[in-house]
Amino acid sequence: MGWDRRATCWNVGRALEYFSCITASLVTVSLAAGEYYAVPGVLGSALATFLAGVGFKRAGAPSETSDKALSYASAAAVWLVVGAFGALPFLSLAWTVALRPTLASAPPLSPTLAAFRSPTNALFEAVSGLTGTGLTVTRRESRLPATLQFWRSLLQWVGGVGIVVLVVSVFDSTGPLADYYENEIPVGEMELQPADPRAMLLAFSVVTLASIAVLWAVGMSAWAALNHGLSAISTGGFTITDASAAAYGVPVQVALMPIMMVGALPVPVYYLALRGDLREFYVDLQSRWLWVSLAVGSVAVTGLLAFDATYPSAQSAVLYGTFQFVSAMTCAGFGTASVGSWPTSALVVVTLGMFVGGAMGSTTAGIKVIRGLSLVEGTWHRVTNVFFPGGDTGYRDAAASESSYIGSIVTRHATTNYDDASFVTVLWFGTFVFGVLALAILMPDSVPFVRIVFDVASAVSAVGLSTGITDAGMPGSAKLTLVVVMWAGRLEVFPVLVLLRSLLVADDDTFDANGDPDD
């Protein structure tokens, strides 16, 4: 079939129309916070988003048929375009305050807000939020207007549950975007896992409210609990403080860790848990290996910090090491310590955690735990077959390797194999190498290479931990590079490649159902 670019435009337009409603809802925060000067900019941003959506839909047309290529291209385009329009509230508020209209009673312009007069900074912040990365160009989040503080948190929640899932939940459950949802969270036994994304959205919302309640109960203010609850369960990492989670005491930091862990679990686990099936938190193959990986990595980082005497006491090493590794592997990005001062060995372990990430079907990025398990088992079989030929040469995928767990969630929504895991890993490393080489060229020579490696790994796995090189002072070209890396990493790269290919290949070229050119 020919490539249906008009269908992609129509899907982008549909997503923008819905996203305009999310943008408009921000007015309630502006009014509640007494930031009346922000109302015109917010409404203007919502209107511009809606009109753009109408324009995209008029330029396109709904597809009569659907295939994987169209669903991948539509999803990649939706994430990028929605991210671009998500930058409008940052720009509008920054310029409103900069121009200080008399009727709007705008406050003086702070350096923190002034940074968002730059379209590049606004785009970076919006894409970082929507992809759940959490890298930021501002170091004084506490100086941002409440409107933008909540916008950052809301972007992460929308990106965490998946803008595609939200669109499918509101509109019809058929078509290319619905197909992408099915590919992102494959469904096996329908009677055991709902195919309807509305059920996933409901489960995610309930867990979000529970997270907010827990943070409020351990000492956060209602406003802080609301913002951190949205970003923690979405494994995003944006905060409303200048020191991330370090601004709070140990009880809050301890409470954040299980919330981040739950955010790294498959969303269907929430649904089954709400139905009373709590066993899936430890019976599910992905969940069990996630717990194991988090424990092993935390112990390794803690041991390396203690050996290096990075902190004066073992207790500090345990608290800082465990929190940072959990934050990294769950792709949350909250921080309680400056990792820029850590030994290289500890940074390597944390980087490995970011590389693996959480579970398939969760809010995280990375290659995912189940793929990591597939890589380890598949590689082990291939190596042992070299030394012990004639043995069992059949490769068993990670989900089916333990017959007693065939009925677990992983066999219903995240079954994978060695080839799939290898393919995604190659794409991850390709994006990672591209980002590292680009930043090595674009950043000043004084920036240590290990910091570039760490921040790029953080971006491609949508983590958000930084060694301090990602800020408003970073060259604009470097920020745009990270925007591409964050976008590609959140979508696991392949949909981005399909979209780029569709834009570069001539109209008369044809594709099969998987997005490959027909002979």
Side-chain angles (χ1 to χ4, degrees):
M1 60 172 291
W3 186 267
D4 195 352
R5 292 185 178 88
R6 296 191 67 197
T8 300
C9 285
W10 195 87
N11 287 315
V12 170
R14 186 173 65 165
L16 285 176
E17 287 180 343
Y18 178 62
F19 190 68
S20 68
C21 299
I22 297 177
T23 306
S25 69
L26 194 59
V27 169
T28 58
V29 177
S30 301
L31 295 175
E35 295 172 350
Y36 305 112
Y37 64 89
V39 173
V42 169
L43 292 179
S45 299
L47 179 60
T49 303
F50 178 78
L51 293 177
V54 172
F56 270 101
K57 289 182 70 173
R58 288 185 175 179
S63 176
E64 297 180 358
T65 60
S66 181
D67 55 47
K68 286 185 178 180
L70 178 57
S71 66
Y72 282 137
S74 296
V78 164
W79 279 84
L80 182 61
V81 176
V82 168
F85 280 89
L88 292 182
F90 293 103
L91 280 168
S92 64
L93 264 69
W95 279 106
T96 295
V97 175
L99 298 175
R100 299 195 68 183
T102 304
L103 295 179
S105 300
L109 181 66
S110 67
T112 298
L113 185 57
F116 292 122
R117 291 181 299 175
S118 162
T120 301
N121 286 340
L123 175 66
F124 183 95
E125 200 79 3
V127 172
S128 180
L130 196 66
T131 58
T133 304
L135 289 173
T136 180
V137 294
T138 177
R139 295 181 180 274
R140 302 293 304 275
E141 290 92 337
S142 64
R143 299 292 302 276
L144 287 173
T147 301
L148 289 186
Q149 287 182 343
F150 186 76
W151 182 236
R152 294 164 83 242
S153 303
L154 184 60
L155 279 174
Q156 296 210 310
W157 191 86
V158 170
V161 72
I163 183 63
V164 171
V165 174
L166 281 173
V167 171
V168 174
S169 298
V170 173
F171 295 95
D172 62 274
S173 57
T174 61
L177 292 182
D179 287 346
Y180 178 77
Y181 168 78
E182 296 291 345
N183 290 322
E184 190 176 51
I185 307 180
V187 177
E189 302 177 31
M190 294 296 184
E191 71 277 11
L192 295 177
Q193 178 195 315
D196 186 357
R198 294 174 180 83
M200 299 295 98
L201 179 58
L202 175 61
F204 191 74
S205 299
V206 172
V207 175
T208 300
L209 292 175
S211 301
I212 294 171
V214 167
L215 294 176
W216 178 73
V218 296
M220 276 190 174
S221 66
W223 176 247
L226 173 62
N227 282 275
H228 290 86
L230 290 173
S231 58
I233 197 62
S234 305
T235 61
F238 275 158
T239 70
I240 61 172
T241 72
D242 299 338
S244 190
Y248 299 98
V250 173
V252 171
Q253 296 174 13
V254 171
L256 278 171
M257 283 192 276
I259 295 175
M260 292 187 290
M261 294 176 186
V262 170
L265 293 174
V267 175
V269 170
Y270 309 164
Y271 177 82
L272 294 179
L274 292 175
R275 292 176 55 184
D277 192 0
L278 298 177
R279 298 181 311 110
E280 297 295 353
F281 280 110
Y282 55 89
V283 171
D284 173 33
L285 184 62
Q286 286 201 97
S287 299
R288 288 189 296 110
W289 278 101
L290 179 64
W291 304 136
V292 171
S293 302
L294 288 170
V296 172
S298 297
V299 170
V301 172
T302 297
L304 291 170
L305 293 177
F307 179 78
D308 186 69
T310 306
Y311 298 103
S313 66
Q315 182 180 0
S316 297
V318 170
L319 180 61
Y320 293 132
T322 301
F323 189 96
Q324 260 60 229
F325 184 80
V326 168
S327 182
M329 187 164 182
T330 61
C331 302
F334 289 113
T336 58
S338 175
V339 296
S341 62
W342 280 17
T344 301
S345 56
L347 288 180
V348 169
V349 176
V350 173
T351 303
L352 288 175
M354 294 190 293
F355 162 67
V356 174
M360 289 186 69
S362 71
T363 66
T364 65
I367 68 166
K368 306 298 193 299
V369 170
I370 192 66
R371 292 196 182 105
L373 187 59
S374 294
L375 280 175
V376 171
E377 184 173 358
T379 301
W380 174 255
H381 275 276
R382 282 157 174 74
V383 171
T384 54
N385 286 338
V386 171
F387 292 97
F388 303 100
D392 179 16
T393 59
Y395 172 66
R396 303 167 297 164
D397 66 46
S401 61
E402 301 180 41
S403 58
S404 61
Y405 297 105
I406 292 299
S408 69
I409 290 176
V410 68
T411 65
R412 301 198 297 272
H413 76 90
T415 301
T416 188
N417 54 42
Y418 185 76
D419 293 336
D420 171 65
S422 300
F423 177 65
V424 173
T425 301
V426 169
L427 292 180
W428 189 96
F429 272 106
T431 306
F432 170 71
V433 170
F434 161 75
V436 169
L437 292 178
L439 259 66
I441 296 171
L442 299 172
M443 293 294 289
D445 294 337
S446 59
V447 176
F449 184 71
V450 67
R451 294 195 175 191
I452 291 176
V453 170
F454 186 91
D455 277 41
V456 172
S458 180
V460 73
S461 288
V463 176
L465 290 175
S466 175
T467 58
I469 66 173
T470 303
D471 55 22
M474 172 181 276
S477 54
K479 293 173 191 170
L480 293 177
T481 298
L482 288 182
V483 165
V484 173
V485 168
M486 292 187 291
W487 171 50
R490 179 62 176 86
L491 293 171
E492 295 186 341
V493 188
F494 185 66
V496 174
L497 296 180
V498 174
L499 175 63
L500 294 178
R501 187 176 187 178
S502 73
L503 297 175
L504 296 175
V505 175
D507 289 335
D508 56 354
D509 286 332
T510 57
F511 297 83
D512 63 19
N514 293 316
D516 297 321
D518 291 332
D519 294 330

